[in-house]
Every structure is written in structure tokens, then in C-alpha cells.
């Protein structure tokens, strides 16, 4: 098999890239090790930056997002039983974010690709990237028990943190910058209306908690009395800081709700709504950057090259930024014959990535309780939160980073 761009992985990075290349008239093949149902159901991110929303719209992949996604103009910071709202548009010159699940972004892009794009092969596992430092890189992969080779002009490794493409960069050229955290997130989905209309990031002596949501699912029921009856089912997404290594099943549903209630407690009459928990999982927390992001004709994008702890809601948005940078560079090469943007890929991406690493680290250490924290650390956290709540410059810094760093 032969193509111009071999894309490994059909997560947000691989699927957005496939769409951008299709629109630019550049052919590509996507290899995905899992099946379609798995890719469309894996619960992850929920917040799209303004820049990501703009990219999806320009790519013609935003029709359902624009119908069902929820525009959010702010978040709430909760600490010391107090509430402080950060208003994005007034602090950033009009920016906001969109609540629309990563699973839905992936479903929309898979459907578009299968309808009008080129090949997207599920259950096709890349085994290795070979000859990356030549003009003819190749991806060796396995599908339906048989090994095959995809010959390419370029390979983009969008295969996430556990993928194979990063391994094709010689160890002597690789530098890894990493930090792990002594805590994780226990995340739940619950069939209950969100207890607040915006996200709530709560710092508590017992640990961090996050209140988020998914857009309501509207179901249409044929009815004899009225033409059609539509019922909205509401979905809450909530997270609790738990010790690293926690098993999701070790928390009973009622224990989760009790703990959420404690951590979100306010001095006013705010109340947490409980409902049936439909999904439970634990996410480890990590900061990780692999440099460089390019080796010859192999380019890494998204989680394959970098990980942020989810507190800043940046992972998916960074993945989109990387593939936009790659697609622009390849189009530039085709139009001008110059490889300057491809050569600058790693450097261009890393500038934005390090800002997101910084912000995600800041948000994580601002809001989580380190098990080794002293009373000094606790007071410092509260002082940092007071600073954001009380000073426009500090609040603006947070709002600008949360709504997203520019793609250029
Ligand atoms: P993905 O999504 O991991 O996709 C990689 C794909 O590659 C496939 N693959 C292979 N295919 C072929 N051959 C191989 N050898 C392969 N090895 C792997 C995998 O099956 C998979 O389909 O990486 P990508 O595309 O770079 O996307 C990154 C994002 O998924 C990730 O950064 C975000 O989910 C992070 N994240 C968040 N990001 C945000 O921007 N906003 C958020 O609100 C947000 N919240 C979150 C998050 C991540 C979370 N978890 C579970 C880590 C909340 C959570 C809880
Ligand atoms: C989510 O809704 O899944 C979500 C929202 C904000 C974050 C992380 C995850 O910072």
C-alpha cells in the first residue's frame, strides 16, 4: 500500500489531520489499532478551546458541535467555602470555550472520513516506523492477522502516549522531560442535571474536585398526542482527586457523592444533585514532553509527544494545534517547494506546548492537595487563589491560558 501521509492513530490528532489533508487534496491513510466502537466510546476530554472550535468549523466538521455543544463564558474557582467566577469574554477580548465531548468530536470525524474521505483502517496495528530518516519512510502494520507495509512520503505518529512511533526516534537524539504526581482523578459520568451551569474547580483540604458536564442528549419519542415528544437527558461529569494507584471500583457510588459534597461545600445554599453513576474510571496524572517532535520524515503529534495533567483541559487542544501546524507546513511545501515550515515543526509546536505544560502544572499545583503538603504549602495555595480572585492581571493570565494560546 502507498500514500502521501501515513497517519498512525485515529484519536483527535489523527482524525483532525486526516480531515485537514483531505480538504487540502493530500491523500493519507489512517491506521488505528482498535475498533470503531472503542474509538467512539473512550471517555476523555470535554472542553474545546476557541481555537479548536475555529479549526473544526473551518474544516467543515462542526455541524453537530454547533448544534449540541455548550458555549461557556467562564468557570468557577471554589476554595475556603467561597466561590469566585472567572469571566472569559471580559478578560480576553471576547473568547470563550465549548463543552463538547472528545468522543463526539471523534464520532463526527470518523463519520465524515468514512463518507467522503480516504481510507481509515480500524484494527490495523502499526508495529514499527522504518526508514524515517530517508525519503521513503514505511509503516509496518498488522491487520486481520496479516502483516503489511504502508509506504509513505511522510509519517505522522498520532498514536498517543503508549504508541510505537516515538520509539522510531533514536535514543541518542531523544530528550524526555517528565513529572509524575502522587495523585490521580477518579472520574464519573452520572445521569443527573449538572449542579451548576459552568465548570467548578474546587480546592479543598481533602483534595481537588471538578464539576463538569456533557451536553444534554435529546431523544425524540413518537407520540400520539403531540407530533413528537423530545426528552432531554442531562449528564454530569465529575472528578475527585484520589491517591495514585487507586482502583475505581474501590469507591462505592454513595461514597463518591458524599466526598464530592464535602469538597464542593459552600457557605451559601448551593446544593449538589446526585443521580445514577453510569461510568467510573481512574486517570493517572503526568506531565511529559518528548523533544524533538520530528525525526527525518516522521512527525509526532498529540499525546504521542506530550502529556499534560487534565486540570488545564489542554490535551486535546494541543493535539489539534500540532496537526494544524503539520498540515500548514505540508501545504506550504507543496505550494512553494520550501521545507522551511516542516523543518521548523518541532520548534513551532514546542513553544505552544511548553506554555500549556506550564499552565497545566500551575492549575494542578494550585488546586490539588499534595499528600506531603505542609501548612505553609496550604496557605500558599490559598494566597495564590486569593490573588487570582482579587487581581485582574492574575485573573486575566488564567483566562487567557484557559481559553487557549494562539495557533500562530
Ligand atoms: P489519543 O486520543 O490517545 O489517540 C491515539 C490513538 O492511537 C491509537 N494507537 C494506535 N493505532 C495504530 N497502531 C498503534 N500501534 C497504535 N497505538 C495507539 C489508539 O488506539 C488511539 O485511538 O491521542 P491524541 O489523538 O493525541 O489525543 C490526545 C487526547 O486524547 C488527550 O490529550 C485528551 O483526552 C486529554 N484530556 C483533555 N484534553 C483537553 O483538551 N481537554 C480536556 O478537558 C481533557 N480532559 C483528558 C481529559 C484526558 C483524560 N484522560 C482519560 C487521560 C480528561 C481525562 C480524564
Ligand atoms: C471534562 O469535562 O472531562 C473535563 C473538563 C475540564 C477539565 C478536564 C476534564 O479540566
Amino acid at each position: 500500500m502507498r500514500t502521501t501521509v501515513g497517519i498512525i492513530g485515529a484519536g483527535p490528532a489523527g482524525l483532525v489531520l486526516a480531515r485537514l489533508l483531505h480538504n487540502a487534496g493530500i491523500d493519507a491513510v489512517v491506521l488505528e489499532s482498535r475498533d470503531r466502537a472503542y474509538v467512539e466510546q473512550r471517555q476523555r476530554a470535554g472542553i474545546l478551546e476557541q481555537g479548536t472550535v475555529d479549526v473544526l468549523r473551518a474544516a467543515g466538521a462542526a455541524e453537530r458541535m454547533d448544534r449540541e455543544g455548550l458555549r461557556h463564558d467562564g468557570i468557577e474557582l471554589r476554595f475556603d467555602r467561597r466561590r469566585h467566577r472567572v469571566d472569559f469574554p471580559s478578560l480576553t477580548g471576547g473568547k470563550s470555550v465549548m463543552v463538547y465531548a472528545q468522543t463526539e468530536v471523534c464520532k463526527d470525524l470518523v463519520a465524515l472520513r468514512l463518507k467522503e474521505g480516504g481510507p481509515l483502517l480500524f484494527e490495523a496495528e502499526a508495529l514499527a516506523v522504518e526508514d524515517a530518516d530517508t525519503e521513503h519512510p514505511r509503516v509496518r502494520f498488522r491487520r486481520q492477522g496479516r502483516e503489511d507495509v504502508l509506504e509513505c512520503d511522510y509519517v505522522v505518529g498520532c498514536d498517543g502516549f503508549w504508541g510505537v512511533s516515538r520509539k522510531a526516534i533514536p535514543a541518542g537524539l531523544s530528550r524526555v522531560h517528565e513529572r509524575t504526581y502522587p495523585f490521580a482523578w477518579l472520574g464519573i459520568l452520572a445521569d443527573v442535571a449538572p449542579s451548576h451551569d459552568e465548570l467548578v474547580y474546587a480546592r479543598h483540604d481533602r483534595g481537588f474536585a471538578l464539576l463538569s458536564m456533557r451536553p444534554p442528549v435529546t431523544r425524540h419519542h413518537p407520540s400520539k398526542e403531540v407530533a413528537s415528544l423530545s426528552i432531554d437527558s442531562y449528564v454530569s461529569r465529575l472528578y475527585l482527586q484520589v491517591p495514585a494507584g487507586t482502583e475505581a471500583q474501590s469507591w462505592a457510588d454513595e461514597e463518591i457523592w458524599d466526598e464530592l459534597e464535602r469538597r464542593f461545600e459552600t457557605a451559601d445554599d448551593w446544593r449538589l444533585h446526585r443521580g445514577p453513576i453510569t461510568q467510573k474510571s481512574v486517570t493517572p496524572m503526568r506531565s511529559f514532553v518528548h523533544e524533538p517532535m520530528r525525526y527525518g520524515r516522521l512527525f509526532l503529534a498529540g499525546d504521542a509527544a506530550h502529556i499534560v495533567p487534565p486540570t488545564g483541559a489542554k490535551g486535546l487542544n494541543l493535539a489539534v494545534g500540532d496537526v494544524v501546524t503539520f498540515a500548514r507546513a505540508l501545504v506550504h511545501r507543496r505550494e512553494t517547494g520550501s521545507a522551511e515550515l516542516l523543518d521548523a515543526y518541532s520548534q513551532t509546536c514546542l513553544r505552544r506546548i511548553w506554555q500549556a505544560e506550564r499552565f497545566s502544572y500551575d492549575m494542578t499545583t494550585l488546586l490539588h492537595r499534595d499528600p506531603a503538603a505542609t501548612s505553609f504549602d496550604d496557605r500558599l495555595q490559598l494566597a495564590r487563589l486569593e490573588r487570582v480572585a482579587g487581581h485582574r492581571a492574575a485573573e486575566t493570565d488564567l483566562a487567557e491560558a484557559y481559553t487557549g494560546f494562539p495557533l500562530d
Side-chain angles (χ1 to χ4, degrees):
M1 224 193 307
R2 230 214 96 69
T3 188
T4 306
V5 182
I7 301 174
I8 310 178
L15 290 168
V16 172
L17 178 59
R19 180 73 188 164
L20 296 174
L21 295 178
H22 170 77
N23 291 349
I26 297 170
D27 65 292
V29 172
V30 186
L31 303 175
E32 165 59 49
S33 56
R34 314 300 294 248
D35 63 20
R36 180 174 177 181
Y38 180 89
V39 166
E40 292 186 344
Q41 270 153 39
R42 187 172 34 196
Q43 280 303 324
R44 284 186 158 188
I47 300 290
L48 310 182
E49 289 175 0
Q50 182 80 58
T52 299
V53 167
D54 295 344
V55 166
L56 292 172
R57 283 190 185 137
E63 195 216 328
R64 194 161 68 96
M65 177 195 78
D66 278 327
R67 224 176 331 120
E68 297 178 8
L70 309 170
R71 178 192 147 133
H72 276 203
D73 284 341
I75 54 170
E76 182 176 303
L77 297 175
R78 202 171 277 195
F79 56 101
D80 233 5
R81 304 177 73 225
R82 282 183 292 147
R83 315 164 60 166
H84 175 80
R85 178 169 188 268
V86 179
D87 184 80
F88 297 147
S90 66
L91 293 162
T92 62
K95 286 202 207 166
S96 58
V97 297
M98 178 81 87
V99 175
Y100 189 64
Q102 177 169 332
T103 45
E104 306 310 305
V105 174
C106 289
K107 274 184 210 161
D108 296 346
L109 288 164
V110 165
L112 274 172
R113 177 99 189 149
L114 295 179
K115 195 170 105 207
E116 51 185 64
L120 160 54
L121 308 182
F122 288 105
E123 297 178 83
E125 184 191 6
L127 302 172
V129 180
E130 294 169 348
D131 300 334
D133 57 342
T134 72
E135 302 265 292
H136 304 290
R138 303 143 43 91
V139 184
R140 213 152 41 74
F141 68 100
R142 184 169 38 218
R143 187 161 180 247
Q144 292 164 344
R146 286 189 31 217
E147 275 201 27
D148 206 339
V149 171
L150 180 63
E151 318 253 0
C152 315
D153 294 339
Y154 301 91
V155 175
V156 187
C158 300
D159 47 352
F161 184 67
W162 303 104
V164 294
S165 45
R166 198 169 62 236
K167 299 190 186 113
I169 303 183
L173 300 178
S174 293
R175 286 201 65 193
V176 166
H177 311 278
E178 192 171 17
R179 185 180 183 106
T180 54
Y181 301 86
F183 35 77
W185 280 14
L186 170 66
I188 60 161
L189 278 175
D191 283 342
V192 59
S195 308
H196 191 54
D197 52 7
E198 291 180 336
L199 270 64
V200 180
Y201 288 81
R203 185 245 169 240
H204 191 277
D205 286 342
R206 299 175 64 93
F208 169 73
L210 171 62
L211 182 154
S212 181
M213 64 199 70
R214 295 290 175 259
V217 184
T218 306
R219 295 204 178 86
H220 299 281
H221 295 267
S223 150
K224 284 197 188 96
E225 289 76 36
V226 283
S228 133
L229 183 70
S230 49
I231 299 173
D232 280 344
S233 11
Y234 291 95
V235 182
S236 287
R237 178 80 168 141
L238 295 133
Y239 297 97
L240 272 181
Q241 175 188 343
V242 292
T246 298
E247 296 277 343
Q249 297 314 324
S250 68
W251 280 76
D253 294 6
E254 284 313 303
E255 277 177 330
I256 295 175
W257 287 117
D258 290 346
E259 189 60 23
L260 286 165
E261 204 160 82
R262 283 188 204 105
R263 296 191 193 179
F264 284 123
E265 194 196 10
T266 59
D268 60 22
D269 58 0
W270 183 89
R271 285 286 165 269
L272 179 70
H273 310 310
R274 299 185 181 210
I277 294 177
T278 56
Q279 206 253 356
K280 243 189 251 185
S281 60
V282 171
T283 305
M285 308 272 276
R286 172 186 280 121
S287 299
F288 174 94
V289 181
H290 180 282
E291 295 178 336
M293 289 169 59
R294 173 200 172 195
Y295 172 61
R297 286 176 170 244
L298 166 66
F299 296 76
L300 303 180
D303 281 14
H306 42 77
I307 297 284
V308 285
T311 330
K314 286 279 164 269
L316 181 155
N317 298 291
L318 282 181
V320 171
D322 291 349
V323 298
V324 166
T325 305
F326 175 79
R328 278 186 191 158
L330 193 57
V331 168
H332 182 73
R333 160 91 204 224
R334 188 185 57 185
E335 285 173 357
T336 66
S338 162
E340 60 184 340
L341 295 187
L342 286 171
D343 291 342
Y345 172 78
S346 196
Q347 222 186 336
T348 307
C349 292
L350 284 165
R351 262 199 304 274
R352 188 160 172 274
I353 288 157
W354 276 111
Q355 285 307 315
E357 290 286 347
R358 173 191 67 78
F359 174 67
S360 304
Y361 171 85
D362 282 353
M363 285 289 278
T364 302
T365 57
L366 177 69
L367 294 162
H368 290 71
R369 183 109 205 296
D370 191 313
T374 62
S375 66
F376 181 84
D377 299 319
D378 289 339
R379 300 296 299 195
L380 212 56
Q381 263 186 336
L382 289 172
R384 286 166 70 194
L385 282 158
E386 299 274 7
R387 177 82 191 160
V388 171
H391 294 263
R392 195 172 166 92
E395 199 183 12
T396 303
D397 191 46
L398 189 154
E400 279 180 354
Y402 195 94
T403 53
F405 300 108
L407 267 168
D408 300 305

